[in-house]
Amino acid sequence: VSSCPQIRYPDVYGIDMAKLGDLAAFKAAISLLRERNMAHVIEEVYRDCKQELKVPLKGGKIVNHVKRIYEPFTPEEISARIAQDVRPFDCNAHIEIIYQTVEDLHKALP
């Protein structure tokens, strides 16, 4: 059980983290998109991110297109996929990963 939400982006709370592709939640979402024949979302998000880099920064407004990678899935679906990804192949135990949701974190720390 983790008291923090899933880390979905490399810069969380001002802490410089690993690359996006190294994050368990991102890997899980990408796997789920591919499994559900939704890989086109990956390409669209990539294209839109590249286009966003060409847009002049106006008043600090940047669109986070990567959010669309996670939109089709509930946090529980992503957590289940993370558990599947980290479970050793020779482990017969049921593994469940439970994260604090962002919404519940905001309730706990208003």
Side-chain angles (χ1 to χ4, degrees):
V1 176
S2 174
S3 62
C4 74
Q6 296 168 351
I7 298 175
R8 296 180 173 199
Y9 308 101
D11 185 20
V12 178
Y13 311 115
I15 302 169
D16 192 21
M17 304 290 280
K19 295 177 288 193
L20 182 61
D22 293 338
L23 300 176
F26 184 78
K27 288 181 186 180
I30 293 295
S31 294
L32 289 169
L33 286 169
R34 289 185 173 135
E35 286 173 6
R36 297 180 186 183
N37 296 318
M38 298 172 68
H40 63 91
V41 173
I42 302 166
E43 296 300 322
E44 292 166 6
V45 167
Y46 178 77
R47 182 196 65 233
D48 292 346
C49 286
K50 294 292 279 184
Q51 284 299 115
E52 187 72 22
L53 293 173
K54 297 176 184 176
V55 177
L57 184 60
K58 296 179 183 175
K61 303 255 181 187
I62 298 174
V63 176
N64 181 356
H65 296 286
V66 177
K67 287 182 176 183
R68 295 195 335 255
I69 295 289
Y70 301 103
E71 285 177 354
F73 313 112
T74 65
E76 294 79 17
E77 288 175 297
I78 293 173
S79 292
R81 181 56 198 230
I82 293 170
Q84 179 182 338
D85 291 346
V86 301
R87 184 177 152 267
F89 73 93
D90 59 346
C91 176
N92 293 324
H94 173 76
I95 296 174
E96 188 173 347
I97 297 178
I98 302 168
Y99 287 95
Q100 168 85 286
T101 65
V102 172
E103 295 77 21
D104 285 345
L105 180 63
H106 288 163
K107 288 177 191 174
L109 302 167

